[in-house]
Amino acid sequence: MKIINLLIIVLFNFIGAYLSYQWCYRTIIAKHRTPELYYLMCYGLCYFCFILISIFLLYKINRPMGLVICGVPIGILITLMSPIVFILVLEDINKSVFNLDFIMGFLGITSLVTLNFIIYPAILLCCHYSIGGIQKISSKLALKQ
């Protein structure tokens, strides 16, 4: 059963990542010609963190409202973390990008545009109700046998 739960968590996080990336692609990359590979690296890091946190949260918090209350700030924080790591990891970026005004503007735009503060709590709720539904179905099937 744990493998099915993990597959559900990964599946919904991939769906959320796809929706968020498509939204960003239409609003940022297509307009400003940002290199798509770098943006994919940011999204990969962001949603890898989301998957790990989802596994932890779904096993610790059983109430949907608790998941939403935890999911909104996590969706904002993880979104803000990935551009910082992106800037620090890339070697060929000009050192002037460490200007505080630029970083804060970039992070604010990224967090608002990706909508992870909305998508991530929705992912948590979808996982919670899917896992709960599968557990009810499997318990009913076990009782019939």
Side-chain angles (χ1 to χ4, degrees):
M1 193 63 161
K2 288 185 179 187
I3 293 174
I4 293 172
N5 293 351
L6 290 175
L7 288 174
I8 288 171
I9 292 169
V10 170
L11 174 72
F12 278 112
N13 275 288
F14 277 140
I15 291 170
Y18 178 75
L19 292 173
S20 183
Y21 179 75
Q22 284 300 320
W23 171 260
C24 262
Y25 184 78
R26 279 185 248 132
T27 58
I28 292 178
I29 297 173
K31 290 182 181 178
H32 299 291
R33 308 279 189 247
T34 308
E36 191 171 357
L37 178 63
Y38 296 153
Y39 218 76
L40 282 173
M41 288 175 15
C42 279
Y43 260 81
L45 175 67
C46 181
Y47 273 89
F48 178 72
C49 293
F50 279 153
I51 289 171
L52 294 178
I53 294 170
S54 295
I55 293 168
F56 176 76
L57 285 178
L58 288 166
Y59 285 113
K60 295 295 180 188
I61 300 174
N62 294 325
R63 296 178 183 240
M65 193 57 161
L67 292 172
V68 171
I69 290 171
C70 291
V72 171
I74 290 171
I76 293 170
L77 289 174
I78 297 296
T79 305
L80 296 179
M81 296 284 290
S82 77
I84 292 173
V85 173
F86 174 68
I87 289 172
L88 294 176
V89 168
L90 290 177
E91 300 169 4
D92 61 345
I93 291 188
N94 190 354
K95 296 297 178 185
S96 67
V97 298
F98 290 100
N99 181 354
L100 187 61
D101 293 333
F102 173 77
I103 290 174
M104 295 311 286
F106 185 65
L107 295 180
I109 290 170
T110 303
S111 66
L112 289 175
V113 170
T114 58
L115 300 177
N116 284 334
F117 62 95
I118 296 170
I119 292 174
Y120 188 61
I123 290 170
L124 289 174
L125 289 176
C126 289
C127 291
H128 173 75
Y129 287 119
S130 296
I131 290 170
I134 289 175
Q135 288 174 346
K136 284 182 183 179
I137 291 170
S138 65
S139 66
K140 285 182 181 180
L141 290 176
L143 289 175
K144 287 183 179 180
Q145 292 176 354

